[in-house]
Amino acid sequence: MGCMVSQLASKFAFFPPSPPTYHLQKREDGKLTVVSTVSPVVPIQKAVEDNSLDILVVDTKHGNKIVAFYLKNPYARLTLLYSHGNAADLGQLYDLFVQLRVNLRVNLMGYDYSGYGASTGKPSESSTYADIEAIYECLETEYGVSQEDVILYGQSVGSGPTLHLAAKLPRLRGVVLHSGILSGLRVLCHVNFTFCFDIYKNINKIKKVKCPVLVIHGTDDDVVNWLHGNRLWKMARESYEPLWIKGGGHCNLELYPDYIRHLCKFIQEMENFTTEKRLKKIRQNVNLQTRSSIGSCCTCCGEGCCTLACPGCSECCCMNVSWSINCPECCKPGSCIKCCRLPKLSSCFGPCCCIRCSRPSCCVKCSMPSCCFPKCARPSCCCMSCFCCQSCLGKHKGKQNGECL
C-alpha cells in the first residue's frame, strides 16, 4: 500500500515539459549539439565549438541515459552541481546556467532527471537519486573534481536529490537549497510527522549534512511555503546566513538583485573556507563539547578532571584523553591518571562495580574477588593496581601480612 501511494505521489511531483524544449544531434566530428524548440540555439552551438560547454549522456544504475550540460569557467575554483525544479528542463535553464557560471565564477554541471528533456526513463524519487549519483561520479571520473570542491544546488524538488547526495558526502564544500521542501507530503498538507510513503524526506536528511547550508526562499511562495525553508535552515547542523526574499514567489527569485548578490557572497566565503580551516573549526567544537561533559575542575591545572578524586592524592596529572578502563562509571574521559586510572584485568569476568569506599585509605571496592590485585583476604575490599592503590597498600592502619582489613 505504501509503495502504491509513493508511486502516486511521484506522479503529482513531476511535470516534465511536454514536448521537451530541446533534443540532441550528433555532429560530423562526433560531438553532441542541442537543437532547441523554444530559443535560439546559436549560443549553445557556439559554446560547444569553443569548448566552454560539454554535452554529456550519462548512464545511471537504473539503466537510464540522462543528459547533462557542463559549463566551464577558466577562472573557477569550485563546481556547482545544479538540480532543477519539477517543471523545467535543460533547454529552459541554459541561459540561467550561463549567468551563474559568469557571475559566481564557477564551473556548472546541470542535468535532466530521467524522463525529462532528452533523458530516457520515467521520473521517480529513486530515479532522481540514481541520476545525481551518476552525475557526481561523472564529475569525479571525467573531470577530476573532488567533493571538497563541489557545491550542491537544489531548487524545489531538486532539494531532494541534493540532500540525498549531501548526506553521503562528509567533505562537501557547501549546499544551496533554493525554495527547498521538507518532504513531498508536507507541501500538500501541514503534518508534524513523517509517513513511510512520503517522498523526499529532507526533514530527516538535513541533519546529516556536515557542510555549510545556504537556504534561499521567497516569503510569498505559494507553492512551497516559506516555513519549509525556515525549518530547513534551523535544522541544518551548520547554517549559513539565509536569504529570505521579501515578496519573492516560487519561480522568480533569480530576478531579484539580492539573489545573485547573496550567492556571490556565499561562493566567495566557500572558496576561502579551506579544508584546514574547516578541520580546525570541527576540532574546536569537539573540544568545547568534551570540556562541557567533563566533571569538576582540577585545582592544579584548571582542566576538567575526574569526578571521584582520591583523598590520598595530593597531586593531579590530567590528560584530555579517554583511557580504556573496565569500569567506565568510575572515571570519565579526561580523568586524573594518577588517582583514577583502572587498568584492564583479564581475570575479571563479571561486572565490576567500582564505588567509593568508606575508608579513605582504600581507593575502590569491588564485588568480584577474582579481580583483586594483590589478593585480599577480604572479598569486600579489592585493592586494584591503580597508582593510588599501590601506594595505599603500605598505609593501611590495620594491615596484617599484606592484607587489607
Side-chain angles (χ1 to χ4, degrees):
M1 178 64 180
C3 182
M4 294 177 59
V5 176
S6 181
Q7 292 176 357
L8 182 63
S10 295
K11 291 183 179 180
F12 286 102
F14 302 105
F15 301 95
S18 182
T21 63
Y22 72 97
H23 63 271
L24 301 182
Q25 279 187 352
K26 185 172 288 189
R27 304 191 314 180
E28 294 180 356
D29 58 2
K31 286 187 176 182
L32 292 173
T33 187
V34 171
V35 177
S36 176
T37 60
V38 295
S39 61
V41 297
V42 175
I44 299 179
Q45 293 176 347
K46 185 178 180 181
V48 172
E49 292 174 358
D50 64 15
N51 291 323
S52 62
L53 169 66
D54 289 345
I55 300 174
L56 310 167
V57 176
V58 181
D59 295 322
T60 75
K61 63 183 180 182
H62 285 186
N64 299 326
K65 295 182 180 295
I66 58 174
V67 179
F69 289 179
Y70 184 66
L71 290 75
K72 307 171 189 175
N73 187 322
Y75 304 103
R77 295 171 56 188
L78 302 176
T79 298
L80 197 71
L81 201 171
Y82 192 106
S83 301
H84 60 68
N86 68 339
D89 63 18
L90 293 179
Q92 298 170 316
L93 293 169
Y94 177 74
D95 291 339
L96 172 64
F97 287 172
V98 172
Q99 294 178 24
L100 293 177
R101 178 192 64 179
V102 174
N103 292 325
L104 302 181
R105 200 178 63 179
V106 295
N107 298 317
L108 190 147
M109 175 71 89
Y111 66 101
D112 265 337
Y113 309 125
S114 297
Y116 277 71
S119 299
T120 64
K122 293 183 179 180
S124 67
E125 179 187 14
S126 61
S127 67
T128 59
Y129 294 159
D131 296 340
I132 194 171
E133 288 174 0
I135 293 298
Y136 174 72
E137 184 179 353
C138 175
L139 279 176
E140 281 190 315
T141 57
E142 297 296 326
Y143 298 99
V145 179
S146 62
Q147 62 176 285
E148 291 87 350
D149 297 324
V150 173
I151 293 178
L152 300 183
Y153 188 112
Q155 179 188 14
S156 188
V157 164
S159 61
T162 291
L163 287 177
H164 166 79
L165 183 61
K168 295 184 174 184
L169 301 178
R171 299 189 304 276
L172 272 177
R173 187 61 63 98
V175 169
V176 179
L177 300 178
H178 174 162
S179 303
I181 64 175
L182 288 169
S183 72
L185 188 60
R186 285 176 171 83
V187 175
L188 303 177
C189 55
H190 297 287
V191 293
N192 294 324
F193 46 87
T194 301
F195 291 94
C196 61
F197 53 80
D198 201 354
I199 64 173
Y200 295 128
K201 301 170 187 175
N202 295 339
I203 191 171
N204 298 332
K205 296 179 180 178
I206 186 68
K207 306 170 187 177
K208 302 177 182 178
V209 179
K210 299 179 181 179
C211 63
V213 177
L214 165 62
V215 177
I216 302 174
H217 218 106
T219 59
D220 290 349
D221 192 327
D222 58 354
V223 178
V224 179
N225 193 283
W226 168 81
L227 294 175
H228 285 250
N230 185 50
R231 190 166 180 188
L232 286 171
W233 171 66
K234 289 182 177 179
M235 294 180 69
R237 297 171 63 174
E238 192 172 345
S239 299
Y240 186 82
E241 178 187 356
L243 176 60
W244 312 129
I245 298 182
K246 187 176 181 180
H250 190 68
C251 301
N252 63 350
L253 300 186
E254 298 90 346
L255 303 178
Y256 289 80
D258 284 345
Y259 168 80
I260 197 67
R261 187 182 302 121
H262 202 77
L263 261 181
C264 284
K265 178 184 175 184
F266 177 73
I267 296 296
Q268 290 173 0
E269 291 192 23
M270 293 304 100
E271 286 179 342
N272 298 326
F273 195 48
T274 62
T275 303
E276 183 180 355
K277 291 181 180 179
R278 188 172 172 187
L279 289 175
K280 183 178 180 181
K281 185 174 182 180
I282 292 174
R283 292 191 191 101
Q284 290 175 346
N285 291 336
V286 170
N287 288 337
L288 288 174
Q289 294 174 1
T290 302
R291 292 182 182 182
S292 63
S293 65
I294 295 173
S296 58
C297 287
C298 166
T299 56
C300 63
C301 60
E303 297 290 341
C305 190
C306 177
T307 55
L308 301 177
C310 176
C313 180
S314 58
E315 298 180 358
C316 186
C317 179
C318 296
M319 298 181 66
N320 290 323
V321 294
S322 298
W323 295 97
S324 176
I325 57 176
N326 53 326
C327 185
E329 293 83 5
C330 185
C331 298
K332 297 184 177 181
S335 60
C336 172
I337 63 171
K338 181 175 180 181
C339 62
C340 302
R341 182 188 176 192
L342 303 179
K344 185 177 180 180
L345 300 175
S346 58
S347 59
C348 183
F349 299 99
C352 184
C353 179
C354 297
I355 59 175
R356 178 59 50 199
C357 181
S358 59
R359 297 176 57 189
S361 58
C362 183
C363 286
V364 290
K365 180 179 180 181
C366 181
S367 60
M368 294 292 297
S370 60
C371 71
C372 288
F373 183 85
K375 295 295 183 180
C376 297
R378 296 180 58 190
S380 61
C381 180
C382 175
C383 297
M384 304 177 71
S385 58
C386 71
F387 294 113
C388 275
C389 289
Q390 291 179 0
S391 63
C392 285
L393 290 176
K395 298 180 181 180
H396 287 311
K397 296 181 179 179
K399 187 183 74 167
Q400 293 180 359
N401 300 323
E403 298 175 352
C404 302
L405 300 177

